[in-house]
Amino acid sequence: MKRYTLFLLLAGLWRLSLTTAAETDSLNHYLHMAAEHNPGVRADFLAYRAALQRLPQAGAYQDPQLEMGFFLQPMDIVDGRQVADIRLMQMFPWFGTRKAARTEAQHMAQMAFAQFRETRDRLFLDVSVQWFTLCRLQRQLANSRENRELLLRLEEPALQRFASPPASKGAEPSARQSAPPPSPTLPSGAGGMGGMNMNDAASAASGSTPATMGGMSGMDGMGGSAAAGMADVLRLRMEIVEADNRIESLLSEIRAAKAAFNLMLNRPVDSEIRLPDLPEQTSFLLDSASVRMQMTARNPMLEMVAEEELAYKAKADMDRRMSYPMFGIGLQYMLIRKKATAAPAMDDGMGADMGGMNGKDMIMPMLSVTIPIYRSKYNARQRENALLQQAGREKYRNTQNMLEAELVRLNHLLDDAARRIALYRRQTELAQATCNLAVQEFASGRGDLAGVIRVQRQLLDYALKASEAVADYHIAAANIRKLISSHEE
């Protein structure tokens, strides 16, 4: 029972490790990491939070105004000596002005949030593009290494053909001609030539014997075969050197791409990146009408322009209400001391005793009203806001047209990448079959190395182009997801 429990525990840990590795290999893992740590995204999010703090500022009343005046020498008045004068005034805008100001601040905050979403979506697109670029480079590196391995396997049969070239066809007739049959004897009148036949004479005239000529032709055939075999070996080694250079170039490009990827995640450039194999082409159903609807409803650039127009509308309402009078309510307090010798009570004819007001402080309620009589500046503000709203509507149409044009372009790129993927896959299959036949013919001595290298180059070229087409397909799909802001989930 303990062994069974231990087995289940180990199996669970193994599955957890696989799940963790799969999560760290996924693109979504790095997208979340970039959204949390990228300084550009964090800066725009902090700007949005700062815009939210303008809401209580826009809806607040003006600070009350306190005025205090003191007499250096108390001023004598009818019933006392005035020492100080204190005034407190609170102004109130026209009805609805504060609400319009809060509405404008809300739309400005929504603009800041749309800017944050646009920065985040652009970062997601950049991370996705760099991710698929790294996967493409990794696939191309694997293809280049496979090509180099094949070239190394071809080097051994090429060396064998150079070490033991095939026998020349000119060697057999020269061997048969080394012992020519005797020719008829010339008459005795030929003098010293009587003991020499015609073949010997011809040989003597040419300065060589038939056997010697046959041996030389055989040596020429063997030398030509050896030279051809040596040329094949050198050509093969040149291809290997070129493959090594291509691999080094890809490794350097991968290091630069990894550094850019890590910087977008705001971490050291040499941090490890877990890369899976380049994902295959996935079905991306593109309904143009549905994408346009989602783009209109969710694209942050359109939302930003729409919120800007609404902010101008709220500002126009606020400016219109600010052109109306503002009211102020306040109090005035006069500090009065008693006179040293009060005057006798005076009768005003109505029986009122004014002497009882000596030294009594005065409190006076006050009401103030602003009179906006200079209407030119308020009318200019209204015209300004109307023009800004019209400019916002035109900007919205222009942005929408640009996004629709971008959608058409991306749709074309998506279809073109899909066609290239199907084409290169078919060409890769045909090139692979042709390469296998060429390698077999070369190994059996019936084919030449130039044909094998030519077919191998085509196979590598199709493999590299196929990986580029797959990466282009995923990049185009990522651009379409950015247009509809599909990372909201």
Side-chain angles (χ1 to χ4, degrees), residues 33-249:
M33 187 181 299
E36 292 177 0
H37 302 290
N38 184 268
V41 174
R42 292 174 61 89
D44 283 347
F45 183 71
L46 293 175
Y48 162 65
R49 293 183 59 186
L52 290 177
Q53 303 304 317
R54 299 193 186 106
L55 295 178
Q57 302 177 40
Y61 288 106
Q62 294 184 5
D63 294 332
Q65 186 175 0
L66 177 63
E67 297 180 3
M68 304 178 66
F70 297 92
F71 293 96
L72 299 179
Q73 293 183 356
M75 184 178 66
D76 292 334
I77 57 177
V78 177
D79 290 321
R81 305 179 68 190
Q82 186 176 0
V83 178
D85 187 11
I86 302 174
R87 296 180 181 183
L88 179 65
M89 180 67 67
Q90 173 66 59
M91 300 299 296
F92 296 93
W94 191 261
F95 306 102
T97 304
R98 295 172 55 245
K99 182 179 179 181
R102 285 195 300 267
T103 303
E104 181 192 6
Q106 288 175 355
H107 291 305
M108 297 297 291
Q110 290 299 321
M111 284 180 59
F113 183 70
Q115 179 63 48
F116 156 70
R117 289 179 54 219
E118 173 64 21
T119 304
R120 183 204 58 186
D121 291 349
R122 191 184 306 115
L123 173 66
F124 284 169
L125 176 61
D126 294 340
V127 171
S128 300
V129 169
Q130 201 70 13
W131 169 265
F132 291 119
T133 300
L134 282 170
C135 293
R136 172 182 62 83
L137 292 175
Q138 182 175 260
R139 171 71 67 85
Q140 292 180 350
L141 179 62
N143 293 333
S144 299
R145 285 174 174 171
E146 291 177 1
N147 177 59
R148 185 180 185 278
E149 292 296 328
L150 179 59
L151 294 175
L152 289 176
R153 290 197 299 269
L154 290 175
E155 188 177 12
E156 184 177 355
L159 289 174
Q160 292 178 356
R161 295 182 66 176
F162 168 68
S164 57
S168 176
K169 295 181 180 180
E172 295 181 358
S174 63
R176 290 195 299 267
Q177 292 176 4
S178 60
S183 52
T185 306
L186 292 175
S188 58
M193 298 291 292
M196 185 181 293
N197 55 27
M198 294 296 295
N199 291 331
D200 293 338
S203 299
S206 61
S208 61
T209 63
T212 305
M213 294 175 62
M216 291 180 62
S217 62
M219 291 297 294
D220 291 340
M222 292 178 63
S225 300
M230 188 62 185
D232 289 343
V233 173
L234 294 178
R235 187 181 300 112
L236 195 59
R237 288 182 177 176
M238 285 192 301
E239 292 293 328
I240 294 175
V241 170
E242 184 177 353
D244 291 336
N245 179 67
R246 186 184 303 110
I247 290 173
E248 291 297 328
S249 178

